[in-house]
Amino acid sequence: MTVFTEETRTRAREIIARYPADRSRSALLPLLHLVQAEEGYVSPAGVAFCAEVLGLNKAQVGAVASFYTMYKRRPTGDWLVSVCTNTMCNVLGGQEVYDTLAEHLGVGHDETTADGKVTLEHAECLAACDYGPVMTVNYDFFDGVDPQSAVGVVDELRAGGRPTPSRGARLCTLKEMAVQLAGFADEREGAVADGVPGEPTLRGLRLAQQHGISAPGFDPNTPIRSGKAGDKPAPATPAKAAPTGSTAPDVAAPDRKSPQVRTAETRQPDAKTAVPDAPGTKGPVDGQPPASGDARAAEAAGVAANKPAGDAKPAGDDTGAQERNLREAESTSGQDSAHDKGAQK
């Protein structure tokens, strides 16, 4: 079992300190990169280490480590070569590139060469269709590759060289990359130098410059308001809503409710939820909403149309809660009507 170095343990404490005390499990992703930086993959010892420092069980850590493909579950070479074989790159020759590399290296998908230097894998999509066919080495791009150029890249890697990617910084080993993904600076000389953009990426910018198109001015230093006391944004003039032709009164959005609560209420409305499809409620909808009596009749017709299930009970959901909501809606609707008439007088 691997005994992690004191440097790794110190860095683990630094990672955990980035998060609130009651949210320490949020540190799990960078911690997995950290143990991968020491061993070259997330071993059972790495899973146990993360569980120990976060107070989790190993099943919880293993579930995360096995979900994300960037966490390797068995020893991986210094150079992870990923070849895109998805639709666009495949049409342009990606599969031929992969097949040539597999034969040249003598390995298949997710296998490592005998010298332990190169691991080859299929990649479903590397998000660079305009540069296809593409492959990456430790997630740095080599664009427009063909079988010959791909073989040249891996041969140079196995010989101890570090070929220059088409875009981005200089190559780093899988362990060096994992240190960066854990949130620590890469101290190697030139580690973040020599990056260049690709021509297809610049095309949109050049067209915008050619036609005089620019984005509205924005100050990136503008603070983001938190909504807490003492941090209130300047009052804004409310925009006048465009007429919709609706005769129903506007209902204020429940801004003080969390998004989760609003979503749940929309999916399962009740008589107190201001959404258009809740029986008996008034919302900003076009046309007159159906009366609660109509809703009751429609529901009764729907229940009657369902044939009894094998247990002689009506098919479908239990209607008890729906009946209760309809009664409450009808009562609320009557109170609203009386209130409206009083207001008109």
Side-chain angles (χ1 to χ4, degrees):
M1 180 175 179
T2 301
V3 178
F4 289 92
T5 64
E6 186 57 36
E7 180 184 11
T8 297
R9 292 183 174 274
T10 300
R11 283 179 164 176
R13 290 191 289 269
E14 291 181 29
I15 291 172
I16 296 171
R18 299 172 189 167
Y19 302 90
D22 59 342
R23 296 290 186 270
S24 62
R25 68 183 300 160
S26 298
L28 178 55
L29 296 183
L31 280 175
L32 287 169
H33 285 300
L34 182 66
V35 297
Q36 185 160 278
E38 181 161 337
E39 296 190 288
Y41 72 115
V42 179
S43 68
V47 170
F49 174 80
C50 293
E52 173 195 343
V53 297
L54 291 177
L56 304 175
N57 61 53
K58 290 186 285 187
Q60 291 172 308
V61 177
V64 175
S66 60
F67 181 83
Y68 295 103
T69 59
M70 291 183 76
Y71 301 124
K72 302 304 177 184
R73 300 310 308 277
R74 52 181 167 176
T76 303
D78 290 334
W79 311 107
L80 175 65
V81 177
S82 311
V83 181
C84 181
T85 56
N86 213 329
T87 306
M88 181 60 72
C89 284
N90 201 359
V91 169
L92 296 172
Q95 187 64 51
E96 184 181 359
V97 172
Y98 175 85
D99 292 341
T100 301
L101 286 178
E103 182 178 358
H104 180 73
L105 297 171
V107 297
H109 171 66
D110 200 24
E111 294 180 351
T112 303
T113 55
D115 58 11
K117 291 187 176 181
V118 176
T119 298
L120 180 66
E121 69 174 6
H122 276 283
E124 274 302 305
C125 182
L126 295 177
C129 301
D130 45 352
Y131 297 96
V134 296
M135 75 177 194
T136 60
V137 177
N138 293 341
Y139 308 110
D140 279 316
F141 282 97
F142 288 82
D143 303 325
V145 294
D146 55 38
Q148 291 71 36
S149 62
V151 167
V153 169
V154 298
D155 282 348
E156 186 174 349
L157 291 170
R158 298 181 78 182
R162 297 199 180 193
T164 303
S166 303
R167 294 172 284 133
R170 298 179 185 178
L171 283 184
C172 59
T173 66
L174 186 72
K175 291 182 179 180
E176 292 167 342
M177 178 196 66
V179 172
Q180 299 174 54
L181 293 175
F184 297 94
D186 188 344
E187 303 297 341
R188 295 178 299 122
E189 182 181 355
V192 293
D194 298 341
V196 294
E199 284 300 318
T201 302
L202 293 175
R203 180 60 177 159
L205 174 63
R206 289 174 177 165
L207 282 173
Q209 293 173 339
Q210 177 182 345
H211 295 283
I213 301 172
S214 62
F218 175 74
D219 181 3
N221 296 319
T222 301
I224 299 176
R225 302 294 182 181
S226 65
K228 297 180 180 179
D231 189 19
K232 297 180 179 179
T237 304
K240 188 175 181 181
T244 62
S246 173
T247 58
D250 290 340
V251 178
D255 292 331
R256 295 185 180 180
K257 296 180 180 180
S258 70
Q260 291 86 351
V261 170
R262 291 202 301 271
T263 300
E265 290 180 340
T266 302
R267 291 176 178 171
Q268 187 67 34
D270 55 31
K272 298 180 180 179
T273 305
V275 294
D277 57 348
T281 59
K282 292 186 177 182
V285 296
D286 294 332
Q288 184 66 26
S292 56
D294 295 337
R296 183 192 296 274
E299 186 209 353
V303 172
N306 284 324
K307 295 181 179 181
D311 57 1
K313 294 180 180 179
D317 297 333
D318 180 14
T319 60
Q322 298 174 359
E323 288 286 348
R324 184 174 63 256
N325 286 340
L326 287 170
R327 287 195 298 270
E328 292 177 358
E330 189 174 35
S331 174
T332 304
S333 177
Q335 294 175 3
D336 290 343
S337 298
H339 176 75
D340 292 340
K341 290 179 181 179
Q344 290 176 1
K345 290 181 180 181

